[in-house]
Amino acid sequence: MDTQDFVLLVSRSQFAFTIGLHIVLAAFAIGLSLFLVVIEILWVRTQRPAYLEIMGFWQKIFALNMGVGVVTGVVMEFQFGTHWGPFSARTGAVLGPLMFYEVLVAFFIEAGFVGLMLFGLPRIGKTLHLIATIMVAVGAILSAFWILAANAWMQTPDGFRLAENGRFIPTDWWAIVFNPSFPYRFTHMVLASAIATFLVVAACAAHRLLRDSRHPHARIMYGVGMAALVVLTPLQIVVGDLHGLNTLEHQPQKLAAMEGSWQRPPPGEGEPLRLFALPDQASQQNHAEVAIPHLGSLYLRHNLSGTIEPLSAFPAADLPPVALVFFAFRIMVGLGLLMAVAALAGVVQWWRKRLFTSRALCRLMVALGPAGFIAMLAGWVVTESGRQPFTVYGLMRTSESATVLSLPLSLAVAAAIVVVYLLTFGIGLALLLRLLRQSPNAGETGPAPEIWPMLGRQEGPP
């Protein structure tokens, strides 16, 4: 590996590190905003104080998450100029407006209504406050809309022409935004954000139920979290299947890497489901493979004999890092199946009237607390590593996209960013875990304790 290849590796690692931390916070913001909408609707309809106290507790966590998330997100935007200059120069006419709309339309809506959501209840009343909370959720989802539109265009580019200097010139904005993979990526990501967040809520409640199975706030959060898991997990499986079919059509190398499929099986044998293997990219084969015959065809082609384009059908220089994509995909799917099992167990315990008293299910939910975010990060690795060696799939290579930097400068910037991010993220995570361990109680004051006297309630926790 020569010096510039090493600089490219440092730049890629730095971007992966920053987006890996930021995406967790952004997804948590989407999921939390949806949870707050649900809880506030329940409070407005029933007037039960417990809903208001739960809302106040999770508003504090939302505020903390947003504060850290904004800091970690700003750095990412600057990296396009400092580390990915050629990429920005060639794709700026397409991606620039999408990023602009993300900030102008989505972020301003979300940020503008957050203040009302956190501090405005005694001044604007219940109905307007509920609208403000809904607008925060709308802003968070719109933010995901524009970011996913930009990312999906890089995966399945459409609606452009290539100028003589290699720049991508927009010709059809509808085709750019609603490119072939966008609907699947956007839906998949929003559902993943919601599932991951409701899992955290359910885990927090389950931890409290293990100590006091009659705790009213924990019962509400646990019930809402489990209900969301029961509804959203099957939806995510369906969307994931459709997303896979879309990848099969538009990014066959990525799908073959996800499956570890080097050679097309003989006619009639179909694709196996490879439970485990050690992909060897140099010799283009798997070692220690454990597979179930035909089962891969069932979810890839919806029959028992269909096959996919194998990795050997593509030039070796156009293949992604197969082992990384292969294992990340199995982590994502494995955790997704565990969530589906937990949802099914929840239905069974609810039917047996033991939803809140089953200690085994509570322990499982506590263990699954971070599973949604781990699965989401694994899915992100599949998406981005599976796109390699291209930044714009099939049209612009990653090696052509990076700014030429000196090795000492590249290492110094990366080290500084790692230190700042770990410090910021570490402090935020420590505060978050401290809050989650407390869980909401009667008299929960929320992010603005001064509003409680205005609402005619006793100030402060008991």
Side-chain angles (χ1 to χ4, degrees), residues 13 38 50 56 97 115 121-122 160 181 184 233-234 293 309 319 400 427 443 445:
S13 301
V38 172
L121 180 57
F160 69 93
S181 66
Y184 307 99
T233 304
E309 199 77 9
L319 296 183
E400 303 169 338
I427 293 173
T445 56

Side-chain angles (χ1 to χ4, degrees), residues 135-363:
M135 290 307 296
V136 170
V138 169
I141 292 173
L142 278 177
S143 178
F145 177 94
W146 291 112
I147 289 297
L148 266 296
N151 181 266
W153 182 84
M154 293 158 63
Q155 306 276 348
T156 51
D158 199 0
F160 69 93
R161 67 175 175 83
L162 276 174
E164 292 181 357
N165 58 7
R167 296 191 176 197
F168 295 85
I169 307 298
T171 57
D172 184 346
W173 280 105
W174 182 268
I176 287 172
V177 174
F178 295 96
N179 60 75
S181 66
F182 170 73
Y184 307 99
R185 293 182 194 284
F186 174 64
T187 310
H188 200 47
M189 185 64 192
V190 171
L191 284 174
S193 301
I195 290 172
T197 303
F198 280 96
L199 266 176
V200 170
V201 172
C204 177
H207 184 262
R208 186 60 182 261
L209 288 173
L210 285 170
R211 290 178 288 160
D212 179 7
S213 63
R214 304 192 67 80
H215 194 280
H217 300 71
R219 283 189 165 221
I220 291 171
M221 294 193 303
Y222 196 62
V224 171
M226 292 302 295
L229 200 62
V230 169
V231 173
L232 298 181
T233 304
L235 275 178
Q236 185 70 312
I237 292 173
V238 173
V239 172
D241 181 62
L242 295 173
H243 193 3
L245 294 176
N246 179 266
T247 305
L248 174 62
E249 180 179 356
H250 296 282
Q251 294 181 296
Q253 295 106 307
K254 179 191 289 188
L255 191 81
M258 290 158 61
E259 295 299 320
S261 176
W262 295 100
Q263 306 292 337
R264 193 185 295 275
E269 287 194 7
E271 292 284 345
L273 166 60
R274 296 173 180 85
L275 299 173
F276 179 81
L278 296 174
D280 184 341
Q281 195 138 356
S283 61
Q284 298 212 343
Q285 61 178 325
N286 294 328
H287 302 293
E289 181 176 297
V290 178
I292 302 174
H294 300 288
L295 204 53
S297 295
L298 191 61
Y299 60 83
L300 291 168
R301 292 292 192 182
H302 295 178
N303 58 46
L304 292 176
S305 58
T307 60
I308 62 173
E309 199 77 9
L311 288 161
S312 59
F314 305 98
D318 290 350
L319 296 183
V322 176
L324 180 61
V325 177
F326 179 83
F327 285 114
F329 180 67
R330 272 142 191 80
I331 291 172
M332 178 186 69
V333 173
L335 288 174
L337 292 176
L338 267 179
M339 295 173 211
V341 169
L344 182 61
V347 172
V348 171
Q349 295 299 348
W350 171 80
W351 182 71
R352 298 176 63 192
K353 302 186 186 308
R354 296 190 68 245
L355 179 63
F356 303 111
T357 56
S358 171
R359 296 183 67 80
L361 182 57
C362 284
R363 289 194 182 98

Side-chain angles (χ1 to χ4, degrees), residues 6-18 21 75 79 82-84 405-423:
F6 190 70
V7 170
L8 175 62
L9 179 62
V10 172
S11 296
R12 289 183 58 196
S13 301
Q14 177 184 308
F15 197 85
F17 176 76
T18 53
L21 294 182
V75 176
Q79 288 181 97
T82 57
H83 288 70
W84 303 98
L405 300 172
S406 69
L407 182 57
L409 176 62
S410 175
L411 288 173
V413 171
I417 284 180
V418 168
V419 170
V420 171
Y421 265 61
L422 287 181
L423 190 62

